[in-house]
Amino acid sequence: QVKLQQSGAELVKPGASVKLSCKTSGYTFSTSYMSWFKQIPGQSIEWIGMIYAGDGGTGYNQKFKGKATLTVDTSSSTAYMDLSSLTTEDSAVYFCAREAGRYWGQGVMVTVSS
Amino acid sequence: DVVLTQTPSILSATIGQSVSISCRSSQSLLDSDGNTYLYWFLQRPGQSPQRLIYLVSNLGSGVPNRFSGSGSGTDFTLKISGVEAEDLGVYYCMQATHAPPTFGGGTKLELK
């Protein structure tokens, strides 16, 4: 069955960067899209962007341009999201998901604190 | 960006009660391809969202048929016909007709 396994929780300092992973199985990764989402605990969900694994083509929410960079490694069927110049406002749970939210990763908590 | 307004923000129900959640969009969600990309999700505490409904009224795989979705244009409704304990959590509508995809503010379903 389809699985999206995200990396573990991160505690990072302000100004640093972090790379989150989403390892997939159970479907053909190389011809699929992957979306990423942000959710601050207790708040709603925001769409960050999407990447097509076939050619690495990306689309971003304007709000997250310059903050998030999406990449894929088709050899390991893994999607990645780099978050740069982190501030406390980036502290949130980040999800990967595909097929218009039919399948979700378990989410990863990123805490930005000195 | 398209704004989705969900009402109510909190919904108190007893087991077996039927309830409805409204999702109103700031723009029509009817796409030029004839589809309306409106979805409903349930997020239980500490879990990832679970997709319940896609394209307004299609039941997701494995989703109980007590859930139903309806609506068109800018007004959409999720109905639960007979709330069960496992239905408690926060419900979100999401649109993907207009970029970027956006979510409603959420409706928390709790036991009365």
Side-chain angles (χ1 to χ4, degrees):
Chain A
Q1 74 275 30
V2 175
K3 289 187 178 179
L4 306 179
Q5 182 66 39
Q6 297 187 241
S7 44
E10 299 275 2
L11 173 60
V12 293
K13 295 189 184 303
S17 298
V18 69
K19 188 170 188 172
L20 309 181
S21 66
C22 175
K23 184 169 179 55
T24 74
S25 60
Y27 69 99
T28 304
F29 180 78
S30 60
T31 57
S32 66
Y33 292 86
M34 184 70 73
S35 286
W36 290 84
F37 299 84
K38 174 184 180 182
Q39 186 176 37
I40 296 172
Q43 297 188 19
S44 186
I45 304 166
E46 296 180 280
W47 181 80
I48 296 171
M50 181 170 60
I51 185 165
Y52 178 59
D55 60 7
T58 54
Y60 292 94
N61 185 333
Q62 185 69 30
K63 178 178 178 180
F64 293 95
K65 282 187 176 179
K67 170 62 65 179
T69 302
L70 305 183
T71 56
V72 295
D73 177 359
T74 54
S75 67
S76 63
S77 299
T78 303
Y80 297 94
M81 178 170 67
D82 273 290
L83 297 170
S84 62
S85 304
L86 292 165
T87 72
T88 55
E89 294 184 352
D90 297 315
S91 294
V93 178
Y94 293 87
F95 295 97
C96 57
R98 63 177 293 259
E99 281 191 48
R102 181 177 179 185
Y103 303 102
W104 292 74
Q106 81 275 22
V108 55
M109 181 72 210
V110 174
T111 304
V112 183
S113 174
S114 54
Chain B
D1 296 358
V2 171
V3 176
L4 298 180
T5 302
Q6 287 184 234
T7 54
S9 55
I10 300 176
L11 187 53
S12 296
T14 56
I15 300 300
Q17 182 180 354
S18 292
V19 297
S20 292
I21 300 169
S22 170
C23 176
R24 288 191 168 177
S25 173
S26 60
Q27 300 178 35
S28 174
L29 299 184
L30 176 63
D31 193 72
S32 56
D33 66 4
N35 289 316
T36 299
Y37 295 93
L38 188 283
Y39 305 83
W40 289 96
F41 296 88
L42 164 61
Q43 189 175 32
R44 299 183 178 94
Q47 295 188 18
S48 306
Q50 173 195 0
R51 195 176 75 175
L52 301 173
I53 301 287
Y54 63 97
L55 300 178
V56 179
S57 59
N58 295 276
L59 202 61
S61 176
V63 176
N65 60 13
R66 62 180 179 274
F67 292 94
S68 61
S70 62
S72 63
T74 60
D75 288 348
F76 303 91
T77 301
L78 175 72
K79 182 176 180 180
I80 310 173
S81 300
V83 168
E84 298 193 6
E86 65 181 19
D87 301 337
L88 303 184
V90 181
Y91 289 81
Y92 295 100
C93 55
M94 182 194 84
Q95 69 81 25
T97 298
H98 303 282
T102 51
F103 287 78
T107 295
K108 184 177 182 180
L109 177 61
E110 58 184 28
L111 277 180
K112 188 181 293 183

